[in-house]
Amino acid sequence: METYTAMRHFADSWGLLAMTLSFLGVVFFIFRPGAKKAAAQASVIPLKED
């Protein structure tokens, strides 16, 4: 049971911090300047003829 308790405390503290930083990184990546052009290009990939 000691391993479970240690892992739970780790997840409650550092795990939460890691997930928050990952979320903020993704949000920044999506809303960065220049992302609109890349998203527009990616959105038409399935419609392109080979």
Side-chain angles (χ1 to χ4, degrees), residues 2-43:
E2 293 176 13
T3 304
Y4 171 76
T5 305
M7 294 300 286
R8 180 168 176 187
H9 286 293
F10 176 77
D12 286 344
S13 58
W14 293 107
L16 178 62
L17 179 64
M19 291 299 290
T20 303
L21 291 175
S22 297
F23 175 77
L24 291 174
V26 168
V27 168
F28 177 74
F29 182 76
I30 296 299
F31 291 111
R32 75 188 191 283
K36 190 171 190 174
K37 181 180 176 185
Q41 289 175 347
S43 69

Side-chain angles (χ1 to χ4, degrees), residues 35-50:
K36 190 171 190 174
K37 181 180 176 185
Q41 289 175 347
S43 69
V44 296
I45 290 174
L47 304 175
K48 287 184 178 178
E49 296 276 339
D50 286 336

